[in-house]
Amino acid sequence: QFPVAPETSDSYSIGFKSTLLDNRLQLNAEIFSTEYKDYQAQSTRIFPDGSLAASVDNVGKLETQGIEIEGIAIIGENLTVNFSAAYIDAEIKEWRDANCYSGQTAETGCGPNDTQDISGGDLPNAPELKYSVIADYRLELADMPFEGFIKIGRATSEL
């Protein structure tokens, strides 16, 4: 019903990319910080009668910062291991009129006009820690137009 302001950001990062151990290990790392102004967040309101209203609203300020490490290791002729890890701190610096969640009361922070101040809170659905490890074994199949492979991995995100 009304336009939202454009989302802008200022980002800073420093890192490195390297190849080590006779090109058998690629290791990359980055430290970063990004500040968003007028971040665009989608939200849905559920009214007491069960009707829904979706909207896109501007969040005043949001900041993410953290460190990411990733790499690929060649373990043997047919075996590679990919790995990555990240620690990310994503904080809502300023959002004074966020929609209240369904059933939220004044005692739990819902104010007038069904809004709440969540400034200083964590960004929803932004994992603080995430990592993955994937082993990939490839095998040439004689006289076949394709190769066989086995891939085993583990990934996790912690909110």
Side-chain angles (χ1 to χ4, degrees):
Q1 293 183 9
F2 55 89
V4 293
E7 177 181 302
T8 61
S9 64
D10 294 319
S11 294
Y12 305 94
S13 66
I14 188 167
F16 67 86
K17 293 184 176 199
S18 64
T19 305
L20 308 164
L21 304 173
D22 270 342
N23 294 327
R24 297 182 68 75
L25 176 64
Q26 179 181 336
L27 186 62
N28 307 325
E30 177 183 26
I31 297 171
F32 65 90
S33 177
T34 304
E35 183 176 291
Y36 296 89
K37 295 174 190 85
D38 291 321
Y39 181 81
Q40 295 176 358
Q42 183 176 338
S43 62
T44 303
R45 286 183 129 162
I46 302 173
F47 296 99
D49 66 359
S51 62
L52 301 173
S55 65
V56 175
D57 301 304
N58 287 114
V59 174
K61 288 184 184 172
L62 183 128
E63 183 177 271
T64 62
Q65 56 191 4
I67 184 168
E68 294 179 314
I69 299 170
E70 65 180 11
I72 301 171
I74 300 172
I75 306 298
E77 187 176 326
N78 300 330
L79 178 63
T80 60
V81 175
N82 294 279
F83 57 91
S84 66
Y87 169 79
I88 302 170
D89 177 27
E91 181 182 353
I92 299 166
K93 292 296 200 179
E94 180 184 316
W95 193 2
R96 290 186 170 77
D97 58 352
N99 290 336
C100 295
Y101 56 83
S102 180
Q104 187 175 8
T105 64
E107 291 77 31
T108 57
C110 189
N113 302 321
D114 291 327
T115 62
Q116 59 182 320
D117 182 356
I118 56 174
S119 302
D122 292 332
L123 182 65
N125 301 317
E128 186 173 70
L129 179 63
K130 59 183 177 179
Y131 68 87
S132 69
V133 178
I134 300 170
D136 188 329
Y137 185 81
R138 304 252 167 193
L139 183 61
E140 296 270 340
L141 299 174
D143 301 324
M144 302 297 271
F146 52 86
E147 64 182 10
F149 69 91
I150 298 172
K151 194 175 278 199
I152 300 171
R154 166 110 176 134
T156 190
S157 295
E158 296 178 17
L159 293 175

